[in-house]
Amino acid sequence: MNATARQSQIVDLVRQEGYVTVETLADRFQVTPQTIRRDISLLQDRALLRRFHGGVTAPGSVENFAYSTRQVLCLEEKRRIARLAARQVPDNASLFLNIGTTTEEVARALLGHRGLRVITNNINVANILYSNASCEVIVAGGVVRARDGGIVGEATLDFVRQFKVDVGIIGISGIDGDGTLLDYDYREVRVARAIIDNSRQVFLVADHTKFGRNAMVRLASIGEIHALFTDRTPPAPFGEAIAATTCRVHVAD
């Protein structure tokens, strides 16, 4: 197993277990503790894990990864998810696209569509889609966050509530075992909530790392989502929570 694959599996394992010792990781991957410590150091530098008392834990629930980290984390999986979701969007549709690196990949996947009207509080989405001459992009007013180009605030909420669109496409930071959708910033959550409330259909785009990831602000229940687009079949107990709702699950190959 190469270092990249091992580090990805370390992140997944720590998120599942909460805390794992260096010795346990060394035994599991059949490498030296020194190799694991180098892996942990690299992953900690990327804000994916946190070193703690002879082992490693998942990041806390109060702060998301840096935007530059999220841009490259699971990038190929996000692109597959985005292409799958984009195929479910017809031409001449009205859309919301919210803040997030996965929704930005959806914007790229929509560049070949015609006649779209896209409302977004993400200036990165606007920068991607404006080059499609057949797509009208409407950008919400509000405060632009320097860290990721997201637009939030009361003006953003008032703007979003003026519309009723065909499809709202949202990302999320975490999905709890009971199907609760979680995020870090309550201002961002308020806008995403308004998108859910003002969309005829709601698509959630979320890669496998979001299952079981902690975040402190509740957005919604998975039962309020019409379709989930992800890259792996949701594991237990997430699968059971989703199966109890009308949410359709689409897994990108």
Side-chain angles (χ1 to χ4, degrees):
M1 180 184 297
N2 64 35
T4 300
R6 183 177 64 249
Q7 290 160 12
S8 177
Q9 290 191 26
I10 289 172
V11 171
D12 288 344
L13 181 62
V14 172
R15 285 182 179 158
Q16 292 169 17
E17 301 293 332
Y19 172 82
V20 184
T21 67
V22 170
E23 290 73 18
T24 298
L25 291 171
D27 289 343
R28 182 182 181 93
F29 294 103
Q30 294 296 293
V31 295
T32 65
Q34 289 77 13
T35 296
I36 293 296
R37 291 190 184 96
R38 285 195 295 270
D39 288 338
I40 290 172
S41 180
L42 177 63
L43 293 168
Q44 181 171 256
D45 288 344
R46 294 172 61 194
L48 297 176
L49 296 177
R50 181 178 299 161
R51 192 190 302 272
F52 187 77
H53 292 319
V56 63
T57 67
S61 64
V62 298
E63 186 175 2
N64 202 354
F65 302 143
Y67 177 72
S68 58
T69 296
R70 287 184 282 139
Q71 281 183 301
V72 298
L73 183 63
C74 296
L75 179 57
E76 182 52 41
E77 290 88 342
K78 291 174 181 177
R79 287 173 173 167
R80 294 202 309 269
I81 291 166
R83 290 192 292 267
L84 182 61
R87 288 200 291 269
Q88 299 298 315
V89 176
D91 288 339
N92 303 304
S94 57
L95 307 174
F96 284 127
L97 281 172
N98 81 333
I99 301 168
T101 54
T102 309
T103 50
E104 289 168 21
E105 291 304 323
V106 173
R108 290 186 177 90
L110 290 170
L111 281 171
H113 281 55
R114 298 186 59 80
L116 298 181
R117 286 195 172 185
V118 178
I119 302 149
T120 185
N121 66 322
N122 183 338
I123 61 173
N124 300 308
V125 165
N127 283 332
I128 293 164
L129 281 173
Y130 88 95
S131 61
N132 180 350
S134 180
C135 177
E136 180 178 86
V137 182
I138 306 168
V139 181
V143 178
V144 180
R145 298 192 308 204
R147 68 175 184 264
D148 61 4
I151 304 171
V152 294
E154 291 299 325
T156 316
L157 284 169
D158 291 342
F159 186 84
V160 167
R161 289 167 178 159
Q162 294 181 72
F163 300 92
K164 187 75 173 182
V165 304
D166 297 320
V167 183
I169 303 178
I170 63 171
I172 198 67
S173 293
I175 305 174
D176 206 18
D178 64 359
T180 300
L181 309 183
L182 303 168
D183 224 310
Y184 292 91
D185 188 328
Y186 76 94
R187 295 167 299 178
E188 183 177 338
V189 164
R190 291 184 70 197
V191 177
R193 180 72 249 180
I195 288 173
I196 292 172
D197 293 340
N198 291 281
S199 301
R200 295 181 180 90
Q201 289 192 85
V202 182
F203 293 174
L204 174 65
V205 288
D207 67 75
H208 69 278
T209 66
K210 306 301 173 61
F211 291 103
R213 186 174 171 207
N214 293 324
M216 65 179 287
V217 187
R218 184 186 186 280
L219 167 61
S221 166
I222 193 67
E224 298 176 78
I225 305 300
H226 295 89
L228 165 65
F229 296 85
T230 187
D231 61 303
R232 295 184 190 174
T233 300
F238 307 98
E240 289 88 340
I242 297 169
T245 73
T246 58
C247 179
R248 306 182 306 276
V249 178
H250 301 265
V251 180
D253 294 332

